[in-house]
Amino acid sequence: MQTIMGVIADDLTGGMETASMFVALGVGCGFVTRPELVASSAPEPVMVVAQKTRVIPAADATRQCASAAEALLGAGARQLFFKYCATFDSTDEGNIGPVTDRLLEMVGEDRTLFCPTAPAAGRTVYNGHLFVGSELVSDSPKRFDPLTPMTDPDLVRVLQRQTRAKVGFLPHRLVRHGGEPLRGYVEEAGGRGVKYWIADAIYDEDLAALATLAADWRLVTGNSPIVQHFPPLWRERGWLDSAPRKQALPAIKSPGIVLAGSCAERTLEQLAAFEQQRPVLRIDIASADGPEAAIGESLAWARQNLVSGPVAIATSAAPDGVSAAQARLGREGAAKFAEEILSRLAGALHEMGVRRFVVAGGETSGAVVERLGIDRLRIGAYQGPGVARATTEGDDPIGLCLKSGKLGPVGMFLPTLESMRRAEI
């Protein structure tokens, strides 16, 4: 079986969501966190390599993503998909532009698509501008992001600052109709040197038109929803069996916990909803004495409270709390401090018998998975933005829901942990 699409995800939450969408459509999908594992994995139509590259230095992100691309192309992938966040999380240094530059060079193409739209999550692009619901991204809470604040809604400008390639955009009037007018527009502008295309997209039908446009391109980039429109095109081409595949997950009966590092508004709302039913321990990074003290106190608290049901431990904070932590530790220092605490807690909680984890935040998820020594996952079916399950292999599986800080229903934490107690067939 040849790999049709190789997915390179810039964090684990996005990689998990993308994989879960394929699983929900009955498409076999492998998931690893290290490129060298691709060669030893069972062949599947889709293979996801999810790494923690979103906010590391651009040169390091480019190197790691190139390594993933090399492994996926070596496995015969017809097409690469570079997955990043719906809010185009990046800075003027990257990492979206530099990584794409390298991947496009590797596949030998002269054009690619940028499609961050996620209609179900209210992330859309119109006239090249990114919206979060009815707000421009620059007016949304995303402008306060501690690592990748988005203060410019014009994605053509944002991307052009990250790359030397000429950036254009596909207007909605053309995307809406698709077909030959859209292809002709790309071909004509490509003759004038445009290589990168920011795509207007508002509705799922727009994503379908864009998938049709790029079905035979060697590289596509964007957020996960567009991938749902590729399998029907693969079946039309005879690349994919028509019979859907099922991927079962085992039931896990152990204690469960939420670990939240995201400072997104949605994560704060989810913690508040969870706290109405179960205890939440909030760690104040701005005033914590150090990781050892914070971890020790948190474990003692968890031992006492886990006996009666799931609990949550969070370093999440509102913008004023984030500012205080950054003033004390620096922007990167505050983030690293939080990741160290939560990842080490995950390891200690696992030793205490915890096997069900909901982890909120892409960077936190990467740190937790690394601490737990997980490098392969069996992914369950997509259940909505930010909601999907996964388990490790073996006789003592760990259940995971790795979710973007910005996504998921407000009341998702407790039901998601409870769902892990049941097998998913």
Side-chain angles (χ1 to χ4, degrees):
M1 180 185 298
Q2 181 178 2
T3 298
I4 303 170
M5 177 176 280
V7 177
I8 301 166
D10 70 354
D11 73 354
L12 273 74
T13 62
M16 181 171 171
E17 180 172 79
T18 305
S20 72
M21 288 181 172
F22 283 116
V23 171
L25 293 170
V27 179
C29 185
F31 185 101
V32 299
T33 63
R34 293 188 289 120
E36 59 268 28
L37 297 177
V38 171
S40 61
S41 298
E44 295 284 6
V46 177
M47 175 60 72
V48 176
V49 179
Q51 301 177 102
K52 192 180 171 193
T53 62
R54 180 170 298 171
V55 298
I56 65 176
D60 294 338
T62 301
R63 176 180 52 78
Q64 291 188 31
C65 290
S67 178
E70 184 177 13
L72 293 165
L73 293 171
R78 295 174 181 266
Q79 184 178 59
L80 297 180
F81 181 76
F82 173 37
K83 195 279 172 196
Y84 44 77
C85 186
T87 45
F88 214 75
D89 292 12
S90 55
T91 68
D92 287 353
E93 288 70 41
N95 292 340
I96 293 174
V99 169
T100 303
D101 290 342
R102 181 69 181 106
L103 297 181
L104 197 66
E105 178 186 15
M106 292 181 70
V107 298
E109 282 272 17
D110 59 1
R111 61 189 177 185
T112 191
L113 186 70
F114 293 78
C115 184
T117 289
R123 277 56 167 174
T124 57
V125 179
Y126 182 67
N127 281 342
H129 286 61
L130 179 60
F131 288 81
V132 176
S134 61
E135 295 180 311
L136 289 166
V137 68
S138 53
D139 294 329
S140 78
K142 179 62 186 170
R143 69 189 187 275
F144 299 122
D145 189 289
L147 295 176
T148 54
M150 290 295 290
T151 57
D152 186 352
D154 186 330
L155 295 188
V156 175
R157 285 196 306 248
V158 170
L159 183 58
Q160 193 65 80
R161 293 194 291 267
Q162 300 179 31
T163 180
R164 294 182 179 178
K166 188 173 182 180
V167 182
F169 89 97
L170 300 177
H172 190 253
R173 62 180 173 82
L174 286 174
V175 173
R176 179 181 59 185
H177 294 296
E180 189 55 42
L182 183 59
R183 286 192 295 272
Y185 185 85
V186 170
E187 293 297 334
E188 188 275 331
R192 292 185 278 107
V194 178
K195 297 177 67 174
Y196 288 178
W197 293 101
I198 297 290
D200 274 5
I202 302 172
Y203 309 111
D204 281 321
E205 304 91 275
D206 300 331
L207 299 182
L210 291 167
T212 300
L213 170 71
D216 296 307
W217 295 11
R218 295 295 310 282
L219 173 67
V220 177
T221 85
N223 191 30
S224 50
I226 191 174
V227 305
Q228 299 172 99
H229 298 279
F230 284 103
L233 300 172
W234 299 341
R235 289 190 169 99
E236 288 176 5
R237 288 162 168 77
W239 299 347
L240 187 65
D241 292 339
S242 57
R245 293 262 305 275
K246 290 187 176 182
Q247 190 151 295
L249 299 181
I252 298 176
K253 306 291 187 179
S254 79
I257 195 160
V258 176
L259 296 174
S262 171
C263 296
E265 183 177 42
R266 176 47 56 98
T267 295
L268 299 178
E269 294 170 343
Q270 289 164 335
L271 286 167
F274 183 86
E275 195 169 22
Q276 293 178 8
Q277 301 179 68
R278 294 296 304 155
V280 175
L281 176 65
R282 291 178 171 81
I283 302 171
D284 184 0
I285 298 299
S287 61
D289 292 334
E292 299 298 335
I295 292 167
E297 293 168 5
S298 299
L299 286 175
W301 179 89
R303 285 191 187 94
Q304 180 179 352
N305 288 279
L306 275 171
V307 293
S308 60
V311 300
I313 301 175
T315 58
S316 309
D320 56 346
V322 173
S323 296
Q326 291 182 341
R328 178 189 174 198
L329 300 167
R331 187 178 74 169
E332 293 185 3
K336 295 294 185 185
F337 189 83
E339 289 173 26
E340 180 182 0
I341 289 173
L342 292 176
S343 63
R344 289 175 60 184
L345 275 172
L349 289 162
H350 180 260
E351 291 179 2
M352 288 169 48
V354 175
R355 297 293 185 272
R356 290 181 292 141
F357 292 88
V358 171
V359 188
E363 298 306 303
T364 306
S365 293
V368 166
V369 167
E370 183 177 358
R371 174 67 63 167
L372 293 174
I374 298 169
D375 54 21
R376 298 181 191 266
L377 284 173
R378 177 183 292 270
I379 307 294
Y382 180 70
Q383 300 172 33
V387 187
R389 288 171 47 189
T391 65
T392 57
E393 304 283 356
D395 296 331
D396 186 21
I398 300 170
L400 293 164
C401 171
L402 309 177
K403 71 159 225 82
S404 165
K406 298 179 286 292
L407 297 180
V410 170
M412 70 169 284
F413 284 168
L414 201 55
T416 300
L417 283 171
E418 184 59 29
S419 73
M420 294 179 190
R421 295 173 59 85
R422 303 184 298 273
E424 182 176 304
I425 301 174

